[in-house]
Amino acid sequence: MDKHELAAFLRARRERLRPEDVGLPSGTRRRTPGLRREEVAVLAHISTEYYVRLEQARAPRPSAEVLAGIAGTLRLTDAESDHLHLLAGTARTRTASIRREVRPSILAVVDRLPLTAAIVLAADFEVLAWNPLAAALMEDFALRDRRDRNLARQAFPVGGTGGASEPPYGIADGAEFRHQVVKQLRTTLAQHPSDPEVVALVDELRTGNAEFERLWSRHDVQPAPVLTKTFHHPSVGPVTVDCDSLALVDGDQFLVLYTAPQGSPDADALALLGMLTARAAASD
C-alpha cells in the first residue's frame, strides 16, 4: 500500500468535484475547491475520522468494500478505480521489474508488416523493437543508446520550463501525447513500484521538467484511446495515420501500429517511405 500516493490521489479526485455533482446543494462559498472530506465520508458510508486519516496517509489499508464506496462517491472511472485499488494494495501487482525482452513471435510479427510502421514499447515508453518503416517514419532507434530510446524522455526533455515542448517526430498532437505519457507512467509506477528504472525515470522527469511535474500533480489515469496521429516528415510532408496500441499478453509491453487506409494519400506516403528506406539499405 502506497499511503502517500493514495492520499494525494484521493485529494486530487475530491477537489475536482462540486457539491451539485453528487446531489448536494452548493451552499455558501467554500474556502477550498471540491467536496469537503466529511461529505465524501457520509456519501461513502464510512467515518469522517477514517477518511481524514486516509487523506493524511495515516490510515490502515482500506477494504475492497470501502474502496468501492469511495470510488462511487468520487465518480471515478473504471481506470481510476483500478488505480485506486493498486495504490491501496488490494489489486495484484505485477513483477518487480518491467519485462524488456520481446518475445520472438512478436518480433516476427513486427518484421512481417511491410506496409505498417510498428514498434514495441515497454510500459515506461522505452522502444524495444521496431521495423524499417517505423524507423523511416520516426527515426532509426538503433542510432540511439538504450536510455535515449525512451519516448517519455523525448517528450519531456530535462530542463523544460513548463512551456510547450517540441513534439517528438513532429506529431501534431504533442500536448495530448505528453498527457498520455504521464497517465501511463503513473499507472506503470503503481504496477511496478519497486522497478528501479521506472522509479528513476519518474524522479528524473519530475525534477527535470516543469511541465511533467505540473501534469503529474493532477493524478490523472486513463487508458490511451485509439488515436489518429499526424507526423510532419521532412521527406514526404504530413502523414496522417491510425495509431493502435495493443497490450501484449504479459501486460508490460505494447505493440503500436501506425497504418493508413488503403489507397489514401497517406498510405502512398507510407509506401514511398518504405521504398526510400529499401533503396537506401540496398545502396549501403
Side-chain angles (χ1 to χ4, degrees), residues 81-113:
S81 183
D82 290 344
H83 189 68
L84 179 70
H85 281 269
L86 271 174
L87 296 177
T90 58
R92 180 181 68 86
T93 56
R94 295 174 180 166
T95 57
S97 297
I98 290 175
R99 297 178 180 89
R100 299 181 187 275
E101 187 172 318
V102 182
R103 285 184 282 127
S105 58
I106 298 299
L107 292 174
V109 169
V110 169
D111 286 338
R112 292 168 185 167
L113 297 171

Side-chain angles (χ1 to χ4, degrees), residues 4 40 48 63 97 142 154 178 189 230 249 251 270 273 277 279:
H4 293 284
V40 174
T48 299
S63 67
S97 297
Q154 295 188 40
R178 286 189 289 271
L189 183 61
T230 298
V249 68
L270 280 180
L273 277 176
T277 301
R279 189 177 302 164

Side-chain angles (χ1 to χ4, degrees), residues 1 6 25 39 54 106 127 129 135 145 153 185 214 232 237 251 261 267-268:
M1 175 178 174
L6 175 62
E39 291 170 337
L54 278 175
I106 298 299
V127 180
D145 294 335
R153 284 194 174 96
L185 280 181
R214 179 183 65 80
H232 291 277
D268 293 340

Side-chain angles (χ1 to χ4, degrees), residues 37-104:
R37 290 169 172 172
E38 57 267 28
E39 291 170 337
V40 174
V42 168
L43 292 171
H45 305 290
I46 58 178
S47 74
T48 299
E49 179 187 2
Y50 180 67
Y51 183 77
V52 169
R53 292 176 68 193
L54 278 175
E55 283 204 8
Q56 293 175 341
R58 297 190 299 112
R61 175 179 295 169
S63 67
E65 291 76 17
V66 166
L67 292 173
I70 293 173
T73 298
L74 296 180
R75 303 296 194 264
L76 300 188
T77 65
D78 288 344
E80 290 170 335
S81 183
D82 290 344
H83 189 68
L84 179 70
H85 281 269
L86 271 174
L87 296 177
T90 58
R92 180 181 68 86
T93 56
R94 295 174 180 166
T95 57
S97 297
I98 290 175
R99 297 178 180 89
R100 299 181 187 275
E101 187 172 318
V102 182
R103 285 184 282 127

